Amino acid sequence: MDKHYLSPLFAPESIVVFAGSVDDVASQTPLAQALQAALKAQPYAGRISFLDIHTSGTLADLAQARADLAIIALPVADVGPALELAARMACSAALVICSGVSADKAAEFKKIARQAGIYLLGPNGLGFQNPKLQLNASALGHMASTGPLALVSQSGSLTAAMLDWAGNNAVGFSNVVSLGPHTAVDIADVLDYLANDGRTQSILVYVEGISNARRFMSALRSAANAKPVVILKAGRKPAGNEAAQTHSASIVGSDDVFDAALRRAGAVRVRSFVELFSAAKCLASRYRPVGRRMAIVTNGGGPGVLAADWANEIALSLGKLSAETAAQLKAQLPALASLTDLIDLSEDAGPEHYRAAVDAANRDPQVDGMLAIYSPKVGGDAAAVAQALSDVKKHISKPLLSCWMGDASVGEARGILNDAAIPSFRTPEAAVGAFGNLATFYQNQQLLQQTPPPLSTLAKPDIEGARLVIESVLAERRKVLTEMESKTLLSSFHIPVTQTILARNPTEAMMVAMQLGFPVALKIDSPDISHKSDVQGVALNIMTGASAREAYVDMVERVKRLQPDARINGVTVQKMASARRGRELYIGLVTDDPFGPVIVFGAGGTMIELIDDRAMELPPLNQYLARRLIERARVAETLGDWRGASAVDMDALEQVLLRVSEMVCELPQLREMDINPIIVDENGAVAVDARIVIDSAPQAASGLSSHYNHLAILPYPARYEQVYPMRGGGEYTVRPVHPNDAEMLQELVAKLSPESRYFRFVSHMTELPPAMLARFTLIDYDREMALVAVFKQRTAGDDGEITETERIIGVSRYITNPDRASCEFSLLVADGFAGKGLGSRLMESIMQVAREKGLTEIEGLVLTHNGGMLKLMRSLGFEVKPFAEDPDFRLVTHAL
C-alpha cells in the first residue's frame, strides 16, 4: 500500500496503446500519429504493445495482454469501447489523448473508468512525459531532459512552449503532465502524486481554473509542505462586481482571492513562465531566508541602483551592513568603495573583494540574503570573481544569488556559478525578483503552518442566537440584513458596536437622540439601500433634539425622491463614537467562487473604493494570521504612533478579526459583510456601521460530512480532543495532531525499540526524515486524520520545584483511499505504555472520526510476525486475511 495509487499511470511497468490501425497510418488521428512517434523515439524502460480495438480476440487473449496503463488516441466515438477493452485487460490507469471532447462525453468516459476502477487522465489534454523511464506518452513534442522539476499545466500549447524553452536552457524534469478540461484525474490528484515522488524536488504549475477549491487546497498544502510549489496563473480578473451589495464585494477581484489562497497554502506565485523556472531554480537550492532584507554587492553603481529600485518596487528592503561590519569590511576594499546603501565595491573590485563583501554580509544580522552583481570591466576577470563566489558559498548560510551582466565575455563565469549551484541571472531585475520569490516562499510557509480551530480562546459567542436572527430574515425571504440586524449579529460574537436604536417617526428620533446624548448620527434604515451615503441617508453631528427631528424628516424625503421604490423602516439613531483621533478601518467578507468565504481588511470610510486598500485571508484565523493580515494593508502604517495620535489597541483590532473569523466558520449562510467604519484608537475598537448579506447554507459536497464544508481550509478539529484515564493511574489526552507536535513525535520514534520501529515503518531508521516528519504533523483534516495521545509528566527539580512536560505516547492515523469511501490506518504506541489500553482507545477514536466523515471501511497492513498487533486487531473485530501482494503481511479490514 506504500505505492501511490497513480504510479500505474505516471510510472507504469507495462503499456497498451490504442491509436488506430498500426498498418494504416492514414487512418490515425494527428494526435495519434504524434503520440506513436513520441513513444517510439526513445527506448521505453517497460513493456509496450500496440493494439487495434477492431482486432478480433478472445477474453483470454485480452487478459493475457494485461497492462498497467492503457493509452488511447482515437476518434471520440471509439474512446468508450477502448476504455471497456482496457477494463477487460485489468488496466489500472488510462490516458486519453483526444481534443474537443464535450463535458457530457467526458462524463461518459469517467463513468466507464470509475466502474472499472481505472484512473483516467484526459480527455482534452496532451498526455505526460516521464524522462527517467524514457516514456513520452504525449503529443507535446520531443522528450524533456531528466531533472528535479515537475511541470503540471492546464494548457497543452503552453506546456509545449515551456518544454521548448527548457530544452534550450538546460532545465530538466522528473515529470511533465498536460491537463485538459473535464479530466477525471485532476490537478489535485497530480499534485498529490508529485508530493510523494522522490525524484521531484520542486513543482511548477500553470493553472487556468479550479473546480473544487477544497480538494485543490488540500493537495496544494500537502505538496507545498513537502517541497516548493511555484504557480503561474492566467486570467487575472479585476475587481468590480456591479451586482455587489457591499463595499467588500465591489473592490475584491477573484485574482486577489487566488493570491490569498496561495499564500495560505505555502506556495509562490509568479507572473511569467521564465520567472516560473527561475523561481524553481532558487527554491530547489534549498535556501531558506528569514526575511526580505537583501544586500546588493556590485562593482557598478548603475546595475546596483537598478536592483535597488526593483527591490523597492516588490517590497523588499535593502540589507545594510551594521556600522561595525562596515568598518571592518571597508579596510579590505578599494579606496573608492562605498557602503552607504549598496555594497558598491567600485570598478577596481577583484575576486578577493567580492569574497570579503559576501562573507561580511553573510555574518551581519541585518542581512537576510545577498545578490552579487558583476559588470564586465576592461582588465577584469569575470570567471575569477565567479570562482571566488563558488568558494565562499561553501561556508555561508544565507541565500546567495548572482547577476553576471553581458553575454559572450561572461559565459565561462556563468558556467562556474551554475556548477556551484549559485542561481545566476542576466539582469538585476530578474535576480531581485528571484530573491523576492525566496522571501515570499518563507513567509508563505509560515502561514501554511497555521492550523487554527473554528473558535478562538475568547469568550464563547452566542451562536444559536445569531442563527435565529439569520433564520428569521430568510423566513421573510430577505437576504440583506438591516443595520440593526447586522449589529445584533456582531454583538452575538462579542464585537463592540455603537448603541443603535430604530426610530419610526420624527418624534421618536428626537426622544431617542435626547436619551442617548449628543452628538448623534442618523442613518436611513432600508433593506433595499446598500450604500446609505449614495442616497444622502446619513446625517452626522446632530447636536439637539429639534435638529434630530428635522434631520429625520429631511432624510426620509430625500431618500424617497432619490430611490422611490425603497422600503423604509425608519431611521436609526446612534451616539457618535467619541474617539477624536481614531482610525477609520473596515473589515469585510466576500464569497468567492470557488474558494468560498474570504476575510478582507483595509482602510475604511466613505472613500473606501477610491482608497482601494485591501488585504485578505482565508478563514479560519488565529492571532498570527490576524496580525499578518493587518500588516499587509497599507493602512497598517497609520496604526502606530502617527501624526500626533497614539498607537491603536492592536489586541482589540486582532480580536475583532478573530471574532469575524468565528462568524464565518460558524455561520455558513454569510455571503457578504461590511463593518465600515470600525473606529480603532488606543482604548479599543467599535463598529459604527455594518451591513450583512446572507443566503441559504451551501449544500455539502459529495463525501463531505463536515459542518465546515463551506470553507476552503478545514479548521483544526478541536472537538475531537478528549481526556481519558490511564490504566494503572494517571490520565492522557487524545487530540488531533498539529505542526507543533513535530519535536514530540520525533522523540517518540527515537525512543522506540528497533523491533517497534520495524513493525511500524518496516525500516530500521532511527528517526523520521524531515519530509516525512512534516507530512505526519501538518495534515489536511479533510482527507486524513492523526490522533496523538499526550501524557503529562510531573518531575521535581533539585530545588524541589515541580515542572510539567508533555510527551506523545501514541499515534493513530488514517488516510482516505482514492475511492473516497475507505481509508488505510496505522497505529503506534510507545514501548513503555503497552498493555494499558492505549492502542484500543486510539483505534476506536480514529475509527469514530472515519465514521463521522462518511467512510465505510478501514483497512491496514500488519507484518505477519507482529503477533501483538494482530491480536489487538482481532479483539476490535477486524477481519485478518492474507495479503496477496506480499506474504510477509496480513490485510486487516473492518466495516465502519
Side-chain angles (χ1 to χ4, degrees):
M1 293 186 182
D2 290 338
K3 198 173 183 180
H4 195 276
Y5 66 91
L6 289 183
S7 293
L9 173 60
F10 295 121
E13 296 179 4
S14 54
I15 299 173
V16 59
V17 180
F18 299 100
S21 174
V22 178
D23 301 321
D24 184 9
V25 177
S27 67
Q28 300 172 1
T29 67
L31 287 177
Q33 295 175 21
L35 169 70
Q36 294 204 59
L39 287 169
K40 295 174 180 177
Q42 58 281 311
Y44 164 56
R47 176 174 57 84
I48 187 168
S49 58
F50 294 82
L51 294 181
D52 185 347
I53 62 167
H54 301 296
T55 300
S56 61
T58 66
L59 290 177
D61 294 334
L62 292 175
Q64 201 168 14
R66 67 176 297 170
D68 289 335
L69 171 64
I71 302 178
I72 302 169
L74 296 169
V76 175
D78 293 333
V79 171
L83 278 172
E84 292 171 352
L85 277 178
R88 293 176 185 174
M89 298 173 68
C91 293
S92 300
L95 165 64
V96 173
I97 299 181
C98 184
S99 61
V101 180
S102 66
D104 292 339
K105 202 65 180 177
E108 291 181 24
F109 300 160
K110 291 180 187 179
K111 183 177 180 180
I112 295 171
R114 185 171 58 250
Q115 291 174 343
I118 291 176
Y119 297 111
L120 174 62
L121 178 63
N124 298 320
L126 294 183
F128 70 90
Q129 296 183 1
N130 185 328
K132 176 73 173 178
L133 296 180
Q134 288 291 289
L135 174 57
N136 187 356
S138 76
L140 293 166
H142 297 297
M143 171 70 82
S145 301
T146 303
L149 303 180
L151 172 62
V152 187
S153 172
Q154 289 183 329
S155 166
S157 58
L158 196 58
T159 307
M162 287 180 179
L163 291 181
D164 188 50
W165 181 93
N168 291 330
N169 287 272
V171 176
F173 297 91
S174 60
N175 295 271
V176 177
V177 183
S178 168
L179 296 171
H182 318 310
T183 177
V185 171
D186 62 10
I187 195 168
D189 295 307
V190 178
L191 284 172
D192 190 78
Y193 172 78
L194 296 174
N196 292 278
D197 179 38
R199 294 182 296 106
T200 298
Q201 293 182 13
S202 300
I203 303 172
L204 314 181
V205 182
Y206 171 77
V207 61
E208 294 181 344
I210 303 299
S211 58
N212 187 316
R214 171 70 70 80
R215 291 192 66 238
F216 174 72
M217 288 296 288
S218 171
L220 180 58
R221 284 165 62 85
S222 176
N225 187 44
K227 54 197 68 173
V229 180
V230 186
I231 294 184
L232 172 64
K233 178 183 180 292
R236 295 174 61 82
K237 180 182 175 182
N241 178 359
E242 295 182 1
Q245 302 191 68
T246 61
H247 295 289
S248 301
S250 64
I251 67 172
V252 174
S254 61
D255 204 63
D256 302 314
V257 179
F258 190 82
D259 275 342
L262 292 193
R263 277 196 301 269
R264 192 66 175 276
V268 173
R269 183 177 185 182
V270 296
R271 307 293 171 176
S272 68
F273 81 73
V274 173
E275 192 182 358
L276 188 72
F277 289 103
S278 65
K281 178 165 54 176
C282 291
L283 294 170
S285 67
R286 298 299 173 186
Y287 282 136
R288 294 294 182 266
V290 294
R292 305 181 71 84
R293 300 169 300 179
M294 178 185 63
I296 299 173
V297 181
T298 179
N299 67 340
V305 172
L306 287 176
D309 286 346
W310 192 245
N312 180 67
E313 187 73 20
I314 63 173
L316 293 177
S317 303
L318 283 184
K320 300 178 182 179
L321 300 179
S322 65
E324 181 182 357
T325 302
Q328 294 174 357
L329 178 61
K330 184 72 174 174
Q332 306 175 57
L333 300 181
L336 295 179
S338 170
L339 305 179
T340 306
D341 289 320
L342 308 175
I343 304 177
D344 186 350
L345 305 178
S346 81
E347 295 187 357
D348 299 327
E352 68 279 8
H353 303 125
Y354 271 89
R355 183 185 294 108
V358 170
D359 183 62
N362 179 66
R363 289 184 281 104
D364 196 300
Q366 295 179 189
V367 173
D368 297 316
M370 296 79 69
L371 167 60
I373 303 176
Y374 181 84
S375 301
K377 307 293 181 184
V378 176
D381 191 338
V385 175
Q387 188 60 53
L389 288 193
S390 175
D391 294 339
V392 77
K393 180 183 181 292
K394 302 170 185 175
H395 311 293
I396 64 176
S397 57
K398 296 175 183 176
L400 172 61
L401 281 65
S402 65
C403 172
W404 257 233
M405 303 188 70
D407 196 5
S409 63
V410 297
E412 181 186 355
R414 288 191 180 127
I416 294 171
L417 295 168
N418 287 333
D419 292 342
I422 299 174
S424 175
F425 302 89
R426 294 176 180 268
T427 66
E429 293 87 350
V432 172
F435 183 87
N437 289 327
L438 278 173
T440 298
F441 175 73
Y442 172 80
Q443 292 178 334
N444 292 356
Q445 285 285 300
Q446 297 298 106
L447 299 180
L448 172 62
Q449 299 297 316
Q450 308 304 310
T451 54
L455 294 176
S456 67
T457 57
L458 302 172
K460 186 176 180 180
D462 183 5
I463 300 173
E464 191 58 35
R467 288 173 180 163
L468 289 173
V469 172
I470 290 174
E471 288 170 7
S472 66
V473 173
L474 291 176
E476 296 177 10
R477 297 186 177 181
R478 288 192 291 122
K479 294 184 178 181
V480 180
L481 276 65
T482 65
E483 180 184 358
M484 295 285 289
E485 291 165 337
S486 298
K487 287 185 173 179
T488 300
L489 225 56
L490 299 182
S491 296
S492 65
F493 281 79
H494 306 298
I495 295 175
V497 299
T498 52
Q499 185 179 2
T500 303
I501 300 175
L502 177 64
R504 299 186 180 278
N505 57 59
T507 302
E508 282 187 11
M510 178 184 68
M511 292 190 295
V512 169
M514 296 176 69
Q515 291 171 23
L516 292 177
F518 300 100
V520 296
L522 271 63
K523 301 176 186 177
I524 200 71
D525 187 87
S526 169
D528 303 315
I529 298 174
S530 298
H531 307 307
K532 303 179 184 69
S533 299
D534 294 350
V535 293
Q536 301 178 34
V538 179
L540 304 177
N541 291 308
I542 304 299
M543 301 300 296
T544 67
S547 299
R549 182 184 177 91
E550 292 172 4
Y552 183 107
V553 174
D554 292 343
M555 183 181 297
V556 170
E557 288 179 353
R558 282 196 307 270
V559 172
K560 286 182 176 179
R561 184 175 67 255
L562 294 172
Q563 195 164 333
D565 296 333
R567 293 166 292 173
I568 298 176
N569 299 327
V571 170
T572 60
V573 184
Q574 62 187 61
K575 188 170 176 61
M576 294 192 64
S578 59
R580 294 183 178 180
R581 298 304 304 272
R583 284 42 151 209
E584 288 193 352
L585 309 175
Y586 94 99
I587 296 174
L589 162 73
V590 295
T591 300
D592 177 74
D593 181 16
F595 288 102
V598 183
I599 297 170
V600 191
F601 172 81
T606 56
M607 293 190 292
I608 180 173
E609 285 95 350
L610 181 64
I611 297 171
D612 194 25
D613 178 26
R614 61 185 184 275
M616 57 198 67
E617 187 63 80
L618 268 63
L621 302 182
N622 58 14
Q623 189 171 12
Y624 178 88
L625 293 170
R627 179 62 62 97
R628 300 289 86 78
L629 174 59
I630 294 169
E631 290 173 352
R632 286 198 299 273
R634 296 198 308 273
V635 76
E637 298 179 14
T638 73
L639 301 182
D641 293 323
W642 187 69
R643 295 189 178 180
S646 300
V648 305
D649 185 345
M650 288 295 290
D651 288 340
L653 180 56
E654 288 171 9
Q655 286 185 18
V656 174
L657 283 168
L658 293 178
R659 291 302 195 182
V660 169
S661 174
E662 292 179 342
M663 292 179 68
V664 174
C665 291
E666 299 298 333
L667 304 176
Q669 299 90 344
L670 298 183
R671 293 294 180 273
E672 298 176 23
M673 177 167 64
D674 270 348
I675 307 175
N676 179 39
I678 179 167
I679 297 181
V680 187
D681 62 10
E682 67 272 21
N683 298 313
V686 60
V688 176
D689 201 355
R691 187 169 185 82
I692 295 175
V693 180
I694 61 174
D695 204 342
S696 300
Q699 294 294 315
S702 176
L704 288 179
S705 59
S706 170
H707 170 62
Y708 305 107
N709 61 68
H710 61 295
L711 303 177
I713 300 174
L714 201 65
Y716 177 78
R719 65 188 182 279
Y720 293 129
E721 185 169 327
Q722 297 287 336
V723 178
Y724 297 102
M726 180 79 75
R727 188 182 301 168
E731 62 183 26
Y732 61 94
T733 302
V734 174
R735 60 163 174 79
V737 73
H738 54 65
N740 294 337
D741 291 330
E743 186 177 339
M744 287 196 292
L745 193 61
Q746 189 70 279
E747 181 185 4
L748 167 66
V749 174
K751 290 183 176 180
L752 290 173
S753 66
E755 182 183 51
S756 296
R757 272 198 297 269
Y758 189 79
F759 281 164
R760 169 59 182 90
F761 301 106
V762 196
S763 167
H764 293 291
M765 64 181 179
T766 56
E767 64 177 21
L768 297 173
M772 184 181 290
L773 185 62
R775 193 167 69 247
F776 281 175
T777 53
L778 195 154
I779 67 173
D780 187 281
Y781 302 108
D782 189 32
R783 61 176 178 171
E784 59 184 307
M785 180 59 71
L787 299 177
V788 293
V790 181
F791 183 65
K792 290 185 178 180
Q793 294 176 300
R794 292 181 175 86
T795 56
D798 295 336
D799 57 358
E801 184 177 350
I802 302 297
T803 59
E804 189 174 77
T805 57
E806 291 186 338
R807 59 175 292 205
I808 291 177
I809 57 174
V811 186
S812 62
R813 70 174 65 235
Y814 76 73
I815 298 178
T816 305
N817 288 327
D819 61 14
R820 300 177 193 170
S822 63
C823 61
E824 181 184 351
F825 80 90
S826 63
L827 175 67
L828 177 62
V829 176
D831 289 329
F833 289 84
K836 295 182 179 292
L838 189 60
S840 299
R841 175 63 65 188
L842 284 168
M843 280 304 303
E844 289 168 352
S845 298
I846 202 73
M847 290 165 67
Q848 182 57 36
V849 176
R851 285 190 195 97
E852 291 185 18
K853 279 290 182 180
L855 300 176
T856 58
E857 186 177 53
I858 188 168
E859 61 185 9
L861 289 179
V862 181
L863 281 166
T864 303
H865 56 282
N866 189 351
M869 184 67 151
L870 291 173
K871 180 180 178 180
L872 173 62
M873 293 296 102
R874 289 189 177 98
S875 71
L876 292 171
F878 277 76
E879 182 182 356
V880 180
K881 48 192 174 185
F883 182 53
E885 297 179 23
D886 192 336
D888 289 337
F889 289 90
R890 292 290 181 266
L891 177 64
V892 298
T893 62
H894 193 298
L896 296 171

